[in-house]
Amino acid sequence: MSASSPRLMTLLALLGLAPVAYYMQGTGRSIVALSLTSVVIIAGSLFLMTKPTESSTV
């Protein structure tokens, strides 16, 4: 796993959407939408935290 890039790992976090979507289809409850939103926010945050930054040289 050390050879994998951190951004790839954050994209894999989006795989967490599959069980949430499946559960949402089965129950139809709106509380599941909150879980769906949480997974998207977490994956987006990880993606932004691991993106390459501009290095400023002094």
Side-chain angles (χ1 to χ4, degrees):
M1 193 178 280
S2 62
S4 301
S5 73
R7 292 193 83 187
L8 178 63
M9 290 294 136
T10 57
L11 289 176
L12 289 176
L14 291 175
L15 290 176
L17 292 175
V20 173
Y22 178 75
Y23 184 70
M24 190 166 151
Q25 282 184 329
T27 63
R29 293 187 177 184
S30 60
I31 193 71
V32 182
L34 181 61
S35 299
L36 185 71
T37 305
S38 297
V39 170
V40 170
I41 289 172
I42 291 169
S45 298
L46 288 171
F47 189 77
L48 289 175
M49 284 191 297
T50 58
K51 74 177 187 177
T53 59
E54 298 178 16
S55 61
S56 59
T57 57
V58 178

